[in-house]
Structure formats: structure tokens, C-alpha cells
Amino acid sequence: VAVGYASNAVGTINDVKMIVGWAQAVGAYSFIDAVQFAPHGWIDVKELGLNAEEITRGLEKAVKRGSLLRVQREAKVYFLLNSPRGRAGVQAMESGKWSPGVASAPMERPNVFRLYEENIGPLTPLIADALKDAEELYSDEWVAEAIELAAKNNKRNWRYCEAVLKRWKDEGRHGKKDQQDTRKGSDRYTKSEFEEYLKRE
């Protein structure tokens, strides 16, 4: 049984304890997506009827599948989401720059990643790569405005943002061609033997 603990779209919080109880009553496994709930409330796994062995087994399966990353520091084991931020966390831990539980300056992500998560949805490895590519092709201002436009039009997906950016590149932003390119194009007609007969407005 797969269930979301909470919805970040409408704010619904499901009765996960009851749902897990139903699943356990018929011998079914439960998968709880608690990503949206975790920052807002405490998740008591014992109250959900789970034990340490089941949790460890589930975590190890997630590591094998590639969803989670496992890092061991001395006697403690840490699991991080296999995402750009999670991979950065693993590198920081392995290099000794960060130790969980020790107060340190928060790791800053590029603004475009934060903007995407706040307005469009969860950041997956594929989306993170697409955002990096977009940053190389377009200005930060364009990428940010495309994301904001997608959210405003309730088209919350990267394909929409990408289509907007491509259209701006091809047709000009807000329907206006790059004036510098237009001027360059017109120079080939005005810088000629007939230049004196042509007047630029």
C-alpha cells in the first residue's frame, strides 16, 4: 500500500497510522511518502507499528535501488536522498567539511534549484541536470522568469519551462527580437553603395 503522509498541494494530512494498520492486518507492505510532512511534524515510526529491523531492511533496499545514499561515520550510519543536495552532503561528510548534528552554515544551493522546488515540484536528478543545462544556455533571469510563468499559469512541469525558454531564444523574449541582432541584420543593407539613399529611422 503506497500513501502520501501529507499533500503539499492542498495540505491534507492522511491518517497514516490507520492505513498502515489496515495493510498490516492483511499482511501487506506499506510505503509512506513523508517528504512533504517531514519538515512540519514528528514521525513516530513505533506508533506506526514499525520496528527497527523492518526500517533497516527498507533503507538497505532503497540504497540498493539507488534512491538513497548510505554514509558511515565512525559508529553512526546516515542515509541521504540521492539528489544533488544529498550527493553534495555525502561529499561534504566524506571530506570532513560537514558532520551531521554539528551546527554549521547551511549548504547553499543555486537559486534556480530552490526556485524550481518552491514553484514547480520535487527536484529529481534528471530535472537537476536539465536545470544545469538551462543555466548554461540561458541567463539566470530567463530561467527564473520561465519558472515563475509556469507557476502563474499552473503548468507546473519542466517541459513547459523549457518550451518557454526555447521560444524566447527563437522569437525573442516577450515577442521582441534582440535589437542588437536586428541592427546587425539591417547593416548589410544600409552599409552599401546605396547608403546615401537609405535613411535609418
Side-chain angles (χ1 to χ4, degrees):
V1 176
V3 62
Y5 206 121
S7 166
N8 63 342
V10 294
T12 304
I13 298 175
N14 291 315
D15 189 344
V16 174
K17 183 180 179 183
M18 182 177 68
I19 295 167
V20 169
W22 289 341
Q24 287 174 340
V26 295
Y29 288 105
S30 301
F31 176 84
I32 298 129
D33 178 356
V35 172
Q36 285 80 22
F37 181 77
H40 306 289
W42 177 253
I43 300 168
D44 188 344
V45 291
K46 285 184 181 175
E47 188 182 320
L48 296 177
L50 302 172
N51 61 47
E53 188 181 312
E54 288 175 322
I55 293 168
T56 302
R57 200 167 48 241
L59 288 169
E60 293 300 341
K61 282 182 179 180
V63 169
K64 280 183 184 174
R65 189 174 53 245
S67 304
L68 295 179
L69 303 168
R70 184 181 191 274
V71 185
Q72 184 152 359
R73 299 275 295 172
E74 298 158 8
K76 292 185 179 179
V77 177
Y78 299 93
F79 295 92
L80 288 84
L81 188 64
N82 189 358
S83 66
R85 190 174 192 180
R87 290 190 292 275
V90 169
Q91 286 178 346
M93 288 172 72
E94 289 175 343
S95 65
K97 293 180 181 174
W98 176 55
S99 181
V102 175
S104 62
M107 289 189 300
E108 192 62 38
R109 287 181 293 169
N111 287 337
V112 70
F113 295 134
R114 186 169 56 247
L115 192 64
Y116 183 89
E117 286 187 317
E118 289 171 356
N119 292 282
I120 305 297
L123 190 65
T124 66
L126 287 174
I127 294 295
D129 289 342
L131 287 170
K132 284 179 194 170
D133 292 342
E135 282 185 308
E136 289 176 17
L137 288 170
Y138 313 104
S139 70
D140 292 344
E141 184 186 352
W142 276 30
V143 176
E145 193 169 334
I147 290 171
E148 288 167 7
L149 186 65
K152 181 181 173 187
N153 292 332
N154 202 25
K155 304 287 186 185
R156 297 174 190 274
N157 64 71
W158 175 245
R159 283 195 317 238
Y160 181 87
C161 300
E162 202 169 29
V164 167
L165 290 165
K166 284 179 182 172
R167 189 180 74 236
W168 286 349
K169 184 179 180 185
D170 295 340
E171 300 173 13
R173 192 161 162 220
H174 307 302
K176 297 174 186 171
K177 274 290 201 184
D178 186 338
Q179 290 183 351
Q180 189 176 7
D181 288 346
T182 305
R183 185 158 289 233
K184 259 187 222 173
S186 65
D187 281 350
R188 62 186 166 166
Y189 301 109
T190 57
K191 304 277 185 196
S192 68
E193 59 186 295
F194 304 107
E195 183 177 355
E196 63 184 282
Y197 302 108
L198 299 171
K199 184 177 178 185
R200 191 191 295 262
E201 293 297 328

